[in-house]
Amino acid sequence: MSQSKDFLRTIVEEDLKSGKYKEVVTRFPPEPNGFPHIGHAKSIFINFGIASDYNGHCNLRMDDTNPTTEDTIYVEALKDAVKWLGFDWGDAVYFTSDYFSKIYDYAIQLIKMDKAYVDSLTEDEIREYRGTVTESGKRSKFAQRSIEENLDLFERMKKGEFKDGEHVLRAKIDMSAANMKMRDPLLYRIRHAHHFRAGDEWSIYPMYDFAHCLSDYIEGVSHSICTLEFENNRDIYNWVLDTLGLELPRPYQHEFARLGINYTVMSKRKLLELVENGQVSGWDDPRLPTIAGYRRRGYTPESILNFCDQIGVAKANSMVDVAQLEFCIRDDLNTKVPRVLAVLDPLKVTIENYEGHEEIDAPYYPHDVPKEGSRKLPFSKNIYIERDDFKENPPKGYFRLTPEQPVRLRHGYIITCKEVIKDAGGNICEIKAEYHPDSKSGSDSSGIKVKSAIQWVSAKEAKRVEVRLYDRLFSCEAPEGIQDLNPDSLHVIKNALIEPAVILDKPDERFQFERQGYFYADPIDYTDEKPVFNKIVGLKDSWGKKTKADKPTPEPKAQAKKVQVDGEVVAMTEAEQALFNKYTARSISIEIANTLARDENLSSFYEETLSVLNSPVSLANIVVNEVARELKQTQASELKFSADQIAELVKMVDDETISSKIAKEVFEEMVKSGENPKKIVEDKGLVQISDPSKISPIIDEIIAKNPDNVAKFKAGNTKLLGFFVGQVLKATGGKANPTVVNQLVAESLK
RNA sequence: UGGGGUAUCGCCAAGCGGUAAGGCAGUAGCUUUUGGUGCUACCAUUCGGGGGUUCGAAUCCCUCUACCCCAUCCA
């Protein structure tokens, strides 16, 4: 788990501490209309993770309010995904459809409160009446229906007396709300459709905005965590729960940024499109970011979980680099998986001076993986190596086999190239080589130095396998659609060769094919007769990177710093201008005068303080910088502190009774308690310490405690002055006069 | 254009007035019979821009800019 906690956990902790909830209850509430992807994994990780961190629990709930898109195969996929990731949802999976009758009752209640009405506008009319982001909407004439009529109509909607679209139930909120979502949102629509679970019992179905908050409430959820696009829906969430006057505790919604990964798409719509158009083999295509896809590809749940942990949770929209995910799977598999030898693109090598046959004992794990196990590696005159591991004209820095450079066969002997055989087209088709009998791995006395050891297989014993190599599905970082598909995302090698132990002994399902990557025995297509391996991820390849980078090196790096154009500032009204002039005449800075003049609340508050204390500049500063913050959230009349008190506070700063730092602290206290500043200062003993003889000993102590930083400071890191000042202030509870401290510290450190 | 959000290294991301965490990526070196792993070092004088308040600002105030979400009888 990460060391610093995220904003959600911070909220949860505060709520627990304040006693808002006795227990944390979260939920993972997908709509069963598609296969879950790694974005769902993030949500699962957050919801189940928070629940377990705080000894609460997390419900798995299918949000099945739309019968036309949902299906039971998706609920199975969702359950599989959660289970595979290792989370436990307890006794039962919950379904919103189980709450349909309760939700219906709540709707009745709303109608009876005259907070909901049956609207009979057409779909187009509803849209039209809603208005736009800049124009307010207008309410339907049907909103005036009587409670009785609404009750009657709604019941008949339920009974199925009307056709789809004839009526809807809407909340009566505000058709001119700035938040579009609050313009009388729909609560229920008529849908004569078969529900995969509720069957044909209902002909009306609740909308997300009505069902979700109530389902959360019914289940006793404390923290309803969803993604950012629901921010606007939070107002409805609260409206429904508050209007119904539900008993506390009730849930609150919190939003985080959904996961984006480059070179892939994450929206259900786009994923579905790929599946339906046959661009991929199915929801579990190993190139897809679905859980089923990663699973089939060979990713482990641990790697996905670790990825979710590494990327964190925040509210900033972001696009995570796939490299982060790839790191997680490599990191996990590195310590778990046996290493074997496989040749994907075979080149025949005949070792002319070797006769007979032998079996080399080779460990499955490298020296740095503390696991036991080994297998026999058959060796003979005829072997295959990777075509890439021989170069007739090697580039600089090439470590593998060349006509001049010998190479070691991993776990075996060193060989030297004697002759290169080519076909009619000039392609290399065979290498004639010699081996060095005294160079066997583990008992090498040949004294030959090689630069690398390469994988190989014995021709006779090697098994033929199919290997599927996957590349990113899309060729650009932020793909829009199928036009961005990478045409080479799948490369199938039908005749790769692998050492026999992998097939015969089956030491694992996942392997590292040495020097190539991690591979997974395909869980569906693999048979003993026709083994199939999926490439999970390649090894980090600093050589491949280097050779690739060597070609297109020149890259225009220096890009000019973007100039930012400033927008136009709204002009002041005449009255504001007059005020502004008055303020600047009192030698208030332009900036402060400007904000003061433009804000009526601030200026009137300021005038009030000024009538008590004649200190125009200090007062203006504190009003604009501190009081403004409070005035933003609270009406002037409801502020706990008064203009008089602010004046009093400023007076103490002006005559140096307290420092401005302390003034802020006192102000915070005034905001909370409305206590008199003088009294706060007295009660807490906040009077400023300016006497050097009292401060110096503290400075000496701090300096003695931080020899490293003293050295750094003396070496020229002048920023550290602030560190020492901070420490001294901390030691005195903020009471030391910072100006004096600054001087004294600077002197002491000289 | 109204409302709601968000901006800290190439990519994530801590930080909540007193020394700019960490991970990924990258670079260099050491180790290595995987050009893997491991280890070491380097990698933000600066936090979207500009002002202001303060002894001191990524953090507080003002302002501008950019991006995301909202006008489905989807969720």
Side-chain angles (χ1 to χ4, degrees):
Chain A
M1 199 94 333
S2 347
Q3 57 277 49
S4 54
K5 56 181 182 291
D6 53 76
F7 79 101
L8 290 171
R9 272 168 242 259
T10 307
I11 291 169
V12 169
E13 273 181 32
E14 276 166 12
D15 287 347
L16 245 24
K17 209 173 134 196
S18 73
K20 189 166 170 184
Y21 305 103
K22 281 204 285 290
E23 191 193 12
V24 175
V25 181
T26 58
R27 97 272 95 109
F28 170 59
E31 182 191 13
N33 68 345
F35 271 62
H37 51 66
I38 193 162
H40 291 93
K42 177 176 177 180
S43 178
I44 291 167
F45 180 78
I46 292 168
N47 278 296
F48 281 92
I50 287 179
S52 92
D53 281 2
Y54 298 98
N55 291 317
H57 65 101
C58 178
N59 294 345
L60 172 58
R61 178 170 81 234
M62 300 297 154
D63 208 6
D64 54 348
T65 56
N66 185 359
T68 58
T69 55
E70 295 151 8
D71 197 284
T72 162
I73 67 158
Y74 299 123
V75 347
E76 289 312 310
L78 258 351
K79 282 160 71 178
D80 280 352
V82 175
K83 202 184 296 170
W84 183 70
L85 287 171
F87 294 105
D88 179 14
W89 58 77
D91 295 336
V93 177
Y94 294 88
F95 291 83
T96 302
S97 55
D98 288 345
Y99 311 138
F100 279 173
S101 63
K102 280 187 188 166
I103 295 170
Y104 177 80
D105 291 342
Y106 282 123
I108 299 281
Q109 212 175 308
L110 238 29
I111 295 172
K112 287 181 177 164
M113 296 165 82
D114 197 25
K115 291 292 186 187
Y117 61 95
V118 173
D119 197 358
S120 309
L121 255 25
T122 65
E123 202 172 334
D124 286 343
E125 285 169 328
I126 288 181
R127 188 170 17 257
E128 201 180 304
Y129 277 45
R130 187 144 35 213
T132 66
V133 287
T134 44
E135 302 158 57
S136 76
K138 61 177 184 211
R139 186 161 274 166
S140 161
K141 61 178 184 222
F142 298 109
Q144 293 176 28
R145 286 209 255 238
S146 69
I147 291 174
E148 290 68 34
E149 191 184 356
N150 282 322
L151 250 17
D152 174 59
L153 249 16
F154 188 51
E155 193 185 341
R156 288 165 57 199
M157 281 167 65
K158 183 192 176 206
K159 281 184 181 156
E161 289 184 23
F162 305 110
K163 288 201 280 291
D164 284 14
E166 251 180 279
H167 307 286
V168 290
L169 183 73
R170 301 181 73 170
K172 198 182 272 185
I173 307 181
D174 180 3
M175 286 306 290
S176 58
N179 179 358
M180 296 289 294
K181 293 271 180 196
M182 292 293 270
R183 322 253 255 228
D184 286 12
L186 274 60
L187 267 22
Y188 268 93
R189 79 290 218 183
I190 299 170
R191 276 265 216 280
H192 291 279
H194 182 82
H195 187 283
F196 74 95
R197 210 151 171 285
D200 299 309
E201 190 191 341
W202 294 85
S203 43
I204 54 172
Y205 290 90
M207 302 289 291
Y208 164 85
D209 281 313
F210 193 52
H212 202 93
C213 49
L214 289 170
S215 303
D216 283 344
Y217 179 76
I218 291 165
E219 289 178 14
V221 166
S222 58
H223 299 266
S224 182
I225 298 165
C226 62
T227 43
L228 246 28
E229 65 268 26
F230 291 100
E231 273 172 326
N232 297 313
N233 301 253
R234 188 175 56 223
D235 284 344
I236 310 181
Y237 191 103
N238 290 332
W239 183 89
V240 171
L241 263 24
D242 290 343
T243 305
L244 252 10
L246 267 11
E247 214 174 287
L248 297 178
R250 62 104 153 156
Y252 282 87
Q253 176 182 307
H254 308 276
E255 311 87 9
F256 68 92
R258 70 179 328 148
L259 171 63
I261 298 185
N262 57 187
Y263 299 103
T264 192
V265 292
M266 212 68 95
S267 92
K268 266 190 210 170
R269 207 197 80 239
K270 286 177 182 164
L271 256 16
L272 183 66
E273 194 185 346
L274 291 169
V275 172
E276 285 186 338
N277 293 353
Q279 262 109 9
V280 294
S281 63
W283 284 107
D284 67 346
D285 188 293
R287 291 166 293 177
L288 250 23
T290 52
I291 306 287
Y294 284 119
R295 190 172 170 180
R296 174 130 186 220
R297 174 121 170 210
Y299 273 75
T300 56
E302 292 82 358
S303 67
I304 304 275
L305 259 17
N306 193 239
F307 172 73
C308 291
D309 189 34
Q310 286 188 9
I311 58 173
V313 202
K315 293 191 76 160
N317 283 312
S318 55
M319 174 102 84
V320 178
D321 196 333
V322 269
Q324 189 104 28
L325 217 207
E326 291 175 350
F327 166 82
C328 290
I329 185 62
R330 281 193 202 106
D331 191 45
D332 188 34
L333 262 21
N334 177 44
T335 55
K336 286 182 175 170
V337 144
R339 318 290 143 125
V340 296
L341 266 26
V343 174
L344 303 186
D345 186 8
L347 173 62
K348 188 174 174 187
V349 174
T350 305
I351 301 167
E352 296 190 298
N353 62 340
Y354 187 88
E355 292 303 332
H357 173 93
E358 68 182 283
E359 295 209 313
I360 298 167
D361 195 56
Y364 273 128
Y365 301 95
H367 62 95
D368 50 356
V369 174
K371 291 186 88 168
E372 297 294 320
S374 66
R375 81 292 193 181
K376 298 286 186 208
L377 215 42
F379 179 70
S380 60
K381 185 186 181 83
N382 298 111
I383 63 166
Y384 286 99
I385 65 167
E386 202 69 56
R387 186 163 290 275
D388 240 19
D389 286 340
F390 174 77
K391 279 271 186 305
E392 206 174 8
N393 302 298
K396 200 170 162 253
Y398 189 77
F399 291 170
R400 291 104 101 151
L401 188 64
T402 74
E404 280 78 39
Q405 184 169 264
V407 79
R408 174 175 298 281
L409 298 173
R410 176 78 164 142
H411 301 299
Y413 299 94
I414 292 172
I415 58 167
T416 302
C417 171
K418 286 291 164 193
E419 192 186 347
V420 181
I421 315 282
K422 293 180 185 172
D423 64 14
N427 302 307
I428 299 170
C429 55
E430 186 184 344
I431 304 290
K432 302 276 190 202
E434 271 181 7
Y435 86 116
H436 300 268
D438 54 355
S439 68
K440 191 172 177 181
S441 191
S443 55
D444 185 354
S445 57
S446 70
I448 301 171
K449 285 272 178 278
V450 290
K451 289 196 172 122
S452 78
I454 62 173
Q455 72 271 27
W456 55 277
V457 292
S458 173
K460 192 165 149 250
E461 291 86 357
K463 301 289 175 193
R464 226 172 258 285
V465 296
E466 177 176 322
V467 170
R468 297 172 183 170
L469 268 21
Y470 303 102
D471 198 355
R472 38 188 66 143
L473 226 202
F474 292 92
S475 45
C476 70
E477 270 206 63
E480 296 285 332
I482 55 172
Q483 70 275 14
D484 297 319
L485 277 168
N486 173 9
D488 306 314
S489 59
L490 172 62
H491 178 50
V492 179
I493 299 173
K494 292 280 184 190
N495 294 312
L497 296 171
I498 198 160
E499 58 166 292
V502 176
I503 309 299
L504 273 16
D505 302 351
K506 287 195 174 62
D508 208 339
E509 300 174 310
R510 293 185 181 86
F511 300 91
Q512 185 193 99
F513 293 180
E514 288 207 39
R515 303 210 306 134
Q516 313 206 82
Y518 294 98
F519 291 79
Y520 182 54
D522 188 275
I524 311 240
D525 294 337
Y526 186 103
T527 61
D528 286 348
E529 294 70 41
K530 185 177 166 284
V532 178
F533 289 93
N534 296 325
K535 180 169 177 176
I536 307 169
V537 67
L539 258 28
K540 235 173 110 174
D541 181 9
S542 44
W543 169 246
K545 205 170 284 160
K546 208 182 210 166
T547 47
K548 211 175 280 175
D550 277 354
K551 283 166 202 166
T553 8
E555 196 183 304
K557 186 82 183 171
Q559 41 182 279
K561 216 176 183 182
K562 258 188 269 170
V563 274
Q564 186 159 293
V565 275
D566 276 7
E568 232 170 272
V569 180
V570 188
M572 276 191 259
T573 65
E574 253 175 66
E576 287 169 352
Q577 185 65 50
L579 220 44
F580 175 81
N581 293 342
K582 186 169 110 188
Y583 292 150
T584 46
R586 290 178 192 158
S587 65
I588 291 173
S589 77
I590 292 171
E591 191 65 31
I592 298 284
N594 187 31
T595 46
L596 213 44
R598 283 167 184 275
D599 189 322
E600 210 181 318
N601 286 326
L602 283 186
S603 51
S604 62
F605 191 96
Y606 171 61
E607 293 298 343
E608 216 180 312
T609 59
L610 202 56
S611 66
V612 184
L613 178 74
N614 183 28
S615 177
V617 177
S618 308
L619 282 171
N621 283 343
I622 194 166
V623 169
V624 166
N625 288 301
E626 309 296 327
V627 177
R629 178 172 55 249
E630 301 307 318
L631 230 36
K632 262 193 293 195
Q633 299 153 10
T634 323
Q635 290 281 331
S637 55
E638 285 171 23
L639 250 25
K640 287 197 172 171
F641 57 88
S642 66
D644 290 14
Q645 290 173 327
I646 294 298
E648 201 177 303
L649 179 66
V650 169
K651 188 163 182 303
M652 284 191 285
V653 179
D654 280 356
D655 62 25
E656 292 185 21
T657 310
I658 58 173
S659 63
S660 61
K661 183 187 172 77
I662 292 293
K664 292 204 180 193
E665 198 184 321
V666 175
F667 179 71
E668 297 290 308
E669 189 58 38
M670 286 163 63
V671 169
K672 266 190 262 165
S673 66
E675 192 65 72
N676 242 342
K678 248 188 197 138
K679 187 163 185 315
I680 294 170
V681 171
E682 274 167 28
D683 287 357
K684 298 197 168 184
L686 294 174
V687 175
Q688 170 160 256
I689 306 167
S690 302
D691 183 353
S693 66
K694 282 188 186 145
I695 296 173
S696 285
I698 300 167
I699 292 176
D700 293 342
E701 199 180 316
I702 301 285
I703 286 175
K705 268 190 204 158
N706 296 282
D708 292 359
N709 282 333
V710 173
K712 275 195 228 165
F713 179 86
K714 289 191 173 162
N717 190 349
T718 47
K719 270 186 304 186
L720 253 25
L721 186 67
F723 163 76
F724 287 106
V725 175
Q727 292 297 308
V728 174
L729 252 45
K730 204 170 153 193
T732 57
K735 287 184 286 183
N737 181 332
T739 318
V740 177
V741 174
N742 264 301
Q743 275 172 21
L744 259 29
V745 168
E747 274 169 36
S748 310
L749 286 171
K750 232 182 260 171

